[in-house]
């Protein structure tokens, strides 16, 4: 995202990355301690159950989602925030097309490595 000659990058200049399964994302900013990612979901897109050692805070910009965190389900709508402790099993289903802002600490190295993201729906 940031080239060695740049001090910053404006997020509007960053391209969307299609992840498949009705999900796309764009990196808004990161360093080795924190990462912010904008994620678009089509209706019925799925963030399959997964867990990671990162702390996660999510803000719902638009749409409606059903989150399941550590076995507890909750409806999340525009303006709502969600905190997910490290290593808790969590998932989300998009009930109405929308966008989330995910913030992780530390940075999601797995996102930057270019490997496949396995928990965003069906890749077909």
């Amino acid at each position: 995202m940031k080239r060695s000659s740049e001090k910053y990058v404006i997020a509007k200049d960053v391209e969307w990355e299609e992840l498949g399964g009705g999900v796309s994302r764009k990196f808004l900013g990161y360093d080795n301690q924190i990462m912010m990612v904008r994620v678009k979901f089509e209706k019925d897109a799925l963030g399959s159950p997964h867990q990671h050692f990162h702390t996660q805070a999510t803000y719902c910009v638009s749409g409606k989602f059903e989150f399941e965190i550590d076995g507890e389900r909750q409806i999340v709508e525009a303006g709502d925030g969600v905190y997910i402790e490290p290593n808790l099993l969590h998932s989300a289903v998009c009930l109405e097309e929308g966008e989330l802002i995910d913030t992780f600490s530390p940075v999601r190295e797995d996102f930057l490595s270019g490997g496949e993201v396995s928990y965003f729906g069906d890749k077909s």
Side-chain angles (χ1 to χ4, degrees), residues 16-67:
W16 285 95
E17 176 185 5
E18 295 295 326
L19 300 176
V23 180
S24 57
R25 73 174 173 202
K26 129 184 330 204
F27 296 113
L28 299 179
Y30 61 88
D31 63 14
N32 63 340
Q33 296 180 24
I34 194 165
M35 171 180 267
M36 185 180 288
V37 182
R38 186 173 176 180
V39 188
K40 286 197 285 192
F41 288 80
E42 295 175 5
K43 185 180 184 313
D44 298 323
L46 173 66
S48 300
H50 65 284
Q51 62 192 59
H52 44 76
F53 69 88
H54 310 83
T55 297
Q56 178 175 342
T58 296
Y59 175 75
C60 183
V61 176
S62 63
K64 187 175 188 179
F65 298 81
E66 181 183 72
F67 275 75

Side-chain angles (χ1 to χ4, degrees), residues 12-117:
K12 70 179 180 178
D13 298 331
V14 177
E15 296 294 321
W16 285 95
E17 176 185 5
E18 295 295 326
L19 300 176
V23 180
S24 57
R25 73 174 173 202
K26 129 184 330 204
F27 296 113
L28 299 179
Y30 61 88
D31 63 14
N32 63 340
Q33 296 180 24
I34 194 165
M35 171 180 267
M36 185 180 288
V37 182
R38 186 173 176 180
V39 188
K40 286 197 285 192
F41 288 80
E42 295 175 5
K43 185 180 184 313
D44 298 323
L46 173 66
S48 300
H50 65 284
Q51 62 192 59
H52 44 76
F53 69 88
H54 310 83
T55 297
Q56 178 175 342
T58 296
Y59 175 75
C60 183
V61 176
S62 63
K64 187 175 188 179
F65 298 81
E66 181 183 72
F67 275 75
E68 184 171 346
I69 304 170
D70 199 28
E72 185 176 324
R73 292 181 184 202
Q74 186 77 28
I75 300 297
V76 175
E77 299 178 281
D80 290 340
V82 178
Y83 170 74
I84 303 170
E85 291 181 30
N87 301 309
L88 287 184
L89 185 65
H90 58 283
S91 62
V93 176
C94 182
L95 304 175
E96 295 175 7
E97 181 178 320
E99 293 188 21
L100 302 174
I101 303 292
D102 286 334
T103 306
F104 302 97
S105 180
V107 65
R108 292 292 303 261
E109 294 286 350
D110 55 329
F111 283 10
L112 299 176
S113 69
E116 185 172 307
V117 179

